[in-house]
Amino acid sequence: MSCLICNVELDGKKLSNHIKSNHDLNSEEYTIKYLYDNIKPTCKNCGSQTRYVAFSFKEYCNDCSKIAMKEGGKKGGKAEAWNKGKTKENDERLLKQSIQMSGEGNPFFNKKHEEETKNRISLKKRLGDTNLIERCVERNIDFELLTPLNEYFSRQQQYLEFKCKKCNQISKKTLQAFERGSRCYFCNPIGTSNDELEILNWLKNINLNVLHKDRSVISPKEIDILIGDVGIEYNGLYWHSDEVKENEVDDFNKGHMLNKTKLCQEKGISLIHIFSDEWKYKKDICKSMILNRLKLNNEKIYARKCNIKEISNDEFNEFMNNNHISGSVRSSIRIGLFFDNKLVCAIGLRKPLQKKWSKYMEISRFASLMNSNVIGGLSKLLKYIQKELKITNIMTYADRRFGQGESYMKCGFKLEGDTGLDYWYTDCDIRIDRSKIQATKEKSEKEIATEMKLLKIWGCGSNIYVLN
């Protein structure tokens, strides 16, 4: 390529330098003056300015670039793909190709990588020890890598253990997240409610090894708080209501709490869901339930050392309101266990509300004294009911937010099914039972809830157990 001013033969970058040093022009000014007759080109479609690239200008602006794609050719850019919008159902070429590549026609049919090949591929993808150390050194001021170098195998799919040098807490992150600046969630609990932090700090203060915002067990989903094989989910009423969740998550599923419970169960994790109103108004009961699940309730009481007798409605209501997460409920039969003349365990029975269980008596409530473990309490109460009261057909519900009804199964109950998901309405301070928001002839349940400015929030439902 020669200079059109002095006819010196030069190419590329040298021509640009020559024009600038000898003729006091930059390459774009030279291009307009000598290659485009001193007229700056504009978009062929809309007249806007186009982009300058190496002694030429694009024919179309960025907004009209799709037209160039359709035109194709050297100047216009790439042509549109011939098979765009076509399938084997409406195009013969694609159908023919599909038939040829199906079944035995596929070169990979009935073949798979041998272990040696898999290992070779894995080694090629794996960072060497030196590269891994180099990547971690950049953030060595904040974190220390604890995972042994020889155990590393994946940048995106493996969770490595890092210790924060500020708080000495251990957290798990992928190398990718670590490189992108993932912070210590103990020092910087962004997006975490004060109540969740209160639960976290309470557990740390009793010297438990606590993981916060853990994604290693049910990745990519997160467990708010993880202690060994026990997980805790703190569910704020507003942030877990339908309205907020549907706006936040495109694929929102009203069973998201139950799905997380099932994922944890598959991994051997027992997950407890605590709503914000439970922690706010029944904090001591929540703490007792968590400690009991962690097997840390210090006071152990043996049922064989307890006296058993029926109790009054007032005694029953006071005990349940003080010790059961859902409070008391109407019960026609009320029995308690007493240790040193103190009520330490109680059970209530009633006729089931659903007609299909009309031949059964329902356990309406069962609870032990807060911060204690009455060993064999349920079993002793059931034997009394069967032997003394002659009640042999018993059914009950076990809320899946708190467990799978293990205590009932130990006493001989069989899993009959489940209730499906349950739900409440909330004013974002407390949950309101849906039975209090009943539809009328004029208005639906939803319309009444909307008028009252209430939001719907879903639970996990309950397992149904029967004892015959």
Side-chain angles (χ1 to χ4, degrees):
M1 190 175 184
S2 61
C3 173
L4 296 177
I5 301 174
C6 62
N7 294 322
V8 175
E9 286 288 337
L10 296 166
D11 58 359
K13 187 70 175 175
K14 292 181 180 180
L15 179 59
S16 296
N17 293 335
H18 167 80
I19 293 167
K20 187 172 184 179
S21 57
N22 292 283
H23 304 298
D24 199 25
L25 293 172
N26 62 38
S27 61
E28 185 175 349
E29 291 170 340
Y30 169 85
T31 302
I32 294 170
K33 186 173 182 179
Y34 294 99
L35 297 179
Y36 287 88
D37 297 327
N38 217 21
I39 300 172
K40 189 172 183 178
T42 56
C43 175
K44 290 168 61 175
N45 185 56
C46 67
S48 300
Q49 289 188 357
T50 60
R51 187 162 57 94
Y52 168 74
V53 181
F55 298 105
S56 65
F57 286 86
K58 294 289 186 182
E59 292 188 355
Y60 294 94
C61 65
N62 288 338
D63 294 335
C64 300
S65 58
K66 289 185 178 179
I67 298 174
M69 292 286 290
K70 290 180 180 179
E71 286 183 357
K74 291 182 180 179
K75 293 184 179 179
K78 294 181 179 179
E80 202 170 61
W82 69 268
N83 58 353
K84 186 175 181 180
K86 296 179 181 179
T87 66
K88 63 182 180 181
E89 280 75 26
N90 58 26
D91 187 87
E92 289 184 4
R93 287 173 294 180
L94 291 178
L95 177 61
K96 184 178 179 181
Q97 184 183 29
S98 175
I99 293 171
Q100 289 175 344
M101 298 300 289
S102 298
E104 295 183 5
N106 192 308
F108 293 100
F109 177 75
N110 208 24
K111 294 181 180 179
K112 60 181 180 179
H113 285 300
E114 296 179 352
E115 286 302 317
E116 183 183 349
T117 311
K118 288 180 182 178
N119 292 334
R120 192 162 60 246
I121 293 171
S122 177
L123 286 172
K124 283 184 179 179
K125 290 183 177 180
R126 176 177 165 181
L127 283 175
D129 292 351
T130 305
N131 289 331
L132 178 60
I133 293 171
E134 286 175 355
R135 294 194 179 197
C136 292
V137 162
E138 293 180 11
R139 300 192 61 203
N140 196 42
I141 299 173
D142 304 316
F143 292 95
E144 175 189 352
L145 176 65
L146 299 182
T147 302
L149 296 176
N150 61 356
E151 291 183 11
Y152 169 78
F153 62 84
S154 173
R155 181 171 179 263
Q156 293 177 310
Q157 297 177 357
Q158 179 188 12
Y159 282 84
L160 308 174
E161 284 196 344
F162 292 91
K163 184 170 78 173
C164 174
K165 291 189 175 180
K166 182 178 179 182
C167 67
N168 290 323
Q169 291 291 338
I170 297 171
S171 55
K172 294 183 178 181
K173 311 170 187 292
T174 63
L175 180 59
Q176 176 175 281
F178 179 76
E179 289 182 303
R180 290 178 176 178
S182 177
R183 66 190 71 218
C184 172
Y185 291 107
F186 294 93
C187 300
N188 304 280
I190 292 175
T192 304
S193 69
N194 290 332
D195 286 344
E196 185 177 324
L197 286 176
E198 186 181 356
I199 299 172
L200 181 68
N201 291 328
W202 165 64
L203 291 167
K204 287 165 64 176
N205 287 337
I206 55 178
N207 298 319
L208 293 175
N209 184 19
V210 185
L211 296 178
H212 190 215
K213 303 292 186 186
D214 183 87
R215 291 180 182 269
S216 64
V217 178
I218 54 171
S219 178
K221 295 186 182 298
E222 177 182 272
I223 301 175
D224 289 345
I225 297 171
L226 184 63
I227 317 104
D229 60 357
V230 176
I232 301 170
E233 283 288 300
Y234 175 82
N235 300 324
L237 295 181
Y238 174 72
W239 294 107
H240 284 76
S241 66
D242 263 14
E243 183 175 325
V244 175
K245 280 290 183 182
E246 285 173 353
N247 292 332
E248 273 189 346
V249 187
D250 292 335
D251 59 347
F252 170 71
N253 180 353
K254 63 187 180 182
H256 64 283
M257 285 173 57
L258 179 59
N259 291 341
K260 188 175 280 192
T261 297
K262 289 180 176 179
L263 287 172
C264 285
Q265 195 176 354
E266 291 171 3
K267 299 291 184 178
I269 302 295
S270 176
L271 190 64
I272 303 171
H273 292 271
I274 296 176
F275 282 122
S276 56
D277 60 335
E278 291 170 327
W279 184 256
K280 183 176 181 180
Y281 297 109
K282 296 188 176 183
K283 187 178 298 183
D284 290 338
I285 297 177
C286 291
K287 286 183 176 181
S288 177
M289 291 174 66
I290 293 169
L291 290 174
N292 192 57
R293 186 62 56 85
L294 294 169
K295 299 178 181 178
L296 293 176
N297 274 336
N298 293 324
E299 187 175 0
K300 288 182 173 63
I301 301 169
Y302 292 92
R304 65 176 182 270
K305 297 181 179 180
C306 296
N307 298 320
I308 187 168
K309 64 179 181 179
E310 296 187 30
I311 57 178
S312 68
N313 191 47
D314 289 341
E315 284 179 298
F316 179 81
N317 287 338
E318 182 182 2
F319 185 83
M320 290 301 168
N321 287 331
N322 290 334
N323 296 283
H324 196 287
I325 193 69
S326 299
S328 188
V329 71
R330 178 187 61 81
S331 303
S332 55
I333 297 173
R334 302 164 296 276
I335 308 164
L337 291 178
F338 290 81
F339 182 73
D340 288 343
N341 295 318
K342 181 180 180 181
L343 182 59
V344 295
C345 188
I347 193 170
L349 291 92
R350 66 181 179 185
K351 278 288 184 183
L353 301 177
Q354 292 187 333
K355 291 182 179 179
K356 64 179 290 186
W357 303 111
S358 59
K359 295 181 180 180
Y360 289 78
M361 286 295 285
E362 175 195 340
I363 297 177
S364 55
R365 286 289 185 270
F366 169 74
S368 296
L369 185 66
M370 197 163 54
N371 298 319
S372 66
N373 182 14
V374 182
I375 300 170
L378 178 60
S379 177
K380 183 166 184 174
L381 289 166
L382 287 170
K383 287 176 182 177
Y384 177 88
I385 291 168
Q386 293 171 313
K387 186 176 180 180
E388 302 298 330
L389 304 183
K390 308 301 182 185
I391 298 173
T392 53
N393 291 337
I394 305 170
M395 60 85 60
T396 190
Y397 300 93
D399 194 333
R400 291 184 287 192
R401 285 199 298 124
F402 304 119
Q404 300 300 315
E406 292 87 350
S407 297
Y408 292 117
M409 288 188 282
K410 287 178 181 177
C411 292
F413 281 80
K414 302 296 183 184
L415 178 64
E416 187 71 13
D418 62 72
T419 62
L421 298 176
D422 53 353
Y423 66 88
W424 302 262
Y425 288 98
T426 178
D427 59 2
C428 301
D429 181 51
I430 61 170
R431 283 167 300 135
I432 301 165
D433 194 278
R434 64 184 184 182
S435 63
K436 297 180 180 179
I437 316 292
Q438 292 186 352
T440 64
K441 291 182 179 179
E442 294 78 22
K443 295 177 183 177
S444 67
E445 180 183 309
K446 185 176 181 179
E447 288 172 334
I448 294 172
T450 302
E451 282 185 3
M452 296 174 69
K453 297 182 180 179
L454 300 176
L455 305 177
K456 182 185 282 188
I457 186 166
W458 293 90
C460 295
S462 297
N463 282 337
I464 303 171
Y465 291 96
V466 296
L467 179 67
N468 295 314

